[in-house]
Amino acid sequence: KLHAPIVRFWRECEDAFKLALGGRTTQVACFEFTPSEDGRDVAVLLPSGRPIVYNGARLGSDGGLVFEGPHGPEHTYGGKIVENIIQALCRDLMAKCLIRAEAAGLPVVMHVHDEIVCLVSASAGQSAFALLKQIMSTPPEWAAGFPLGAAGFVGKRYRK
């Protein structure tokens, strides 16, 4: 009962995927499930405008969802589809932050998952950190209202 909204979202995404297999475009939250023109693929359009494309999407003999992955047929389901779209959404948010950091004059030397590391002079450390924190806490226009936050530190070297 505690996680019912999450399970419902998984089911809605799986149902939208199946509708796309049948040729119908369906919106679930901010994600659009749409069939390709030739009906062979299903794309999930992210808020950034970037699609996740499931090539050769179809119903399997067991009624489950199948698509052609890099190593052959792969099975998927609502929870896995949600995992894919959430990870892709977060990747798009991070990519936007990387671009904005560089444009603001913060030289990005590394990024790991949800971390950005910039190399600046010791005297600019605190102001660079404040700027990077602001950049990472401000969603792009296509994600207005998305709750973002940032934390970190200034140091002589990267550490966990």
Side-chain angles (χ1 to χ4, degrees), residues 49-110:
R50 186 170 67 93
I52 301 173
V53 179
Y54 294 86
N55 295 306
R58 60 194 180 280
L59 285 177
S61 58
D62 62 354
L65 300 174
V66 179
F67 67 96
E68 289 302 318
H71 305 290
E74 292 190 31
H75 295 270
T76 195
Y77 54 94
K80 187 71 166 176
I81 294 165
V82 170
E83 178 185 6
N84 294 161
I85 62 179
I86 297 303
Q87 286 181 349
L89 171 66
C90 291
R91 176 262 173 220
D92 290 351
L93 289 167
M94 181 64 151
K96 192 68 170 174
C97 288
L98 289 165
I99 292 166
R100 289 168 54 203
E102 287 281 351
L106 298 173
V108 175
V109 294
M110 179 176 107

Side-chain angles (χ1 to χ4, degrees), residues 86-140:
I86 297 303
Q87 286 181 349
L89 171 66
C90 291
R91 176 262 173 220
D92 290 351
L93 289 167
M94 181 64 151
K96 192 68 170 174
C97 288
L98 289 165
I99 292 166
R100 289 168 54 203
E102 287 281 351
L106 298 173
V108 175
V109 294
M110 179 176 107
H111 62 92
V112 180
H113 302 293
D114 61 349
E115 300 176 43
I116 297 177
V117 179
C118 298
L119 182 61
V120 298
S121 67
S123 62
Q126 289 301 326
S127 62
F129 174 58
L131 178 57
L132 183 59
K133 202 168 151 181
Q134 177 191 3
I135 288 168
M136 293 185 73
S137 299
T138 305

Side-chain angles (χ1 to χ4, degrees), residues 35-59:
S36 62
E37 288 185 19
D38 63 8
R40 293 185 195 174
D41 308 320
V42 170
V44 181
L45 192 61
L46 302 169
S48 65
R50 186 170 67 93
I52 301 173
V53 179
Y54 294 86
N55 295 306
R58 60 194 180 280
L59 285 177

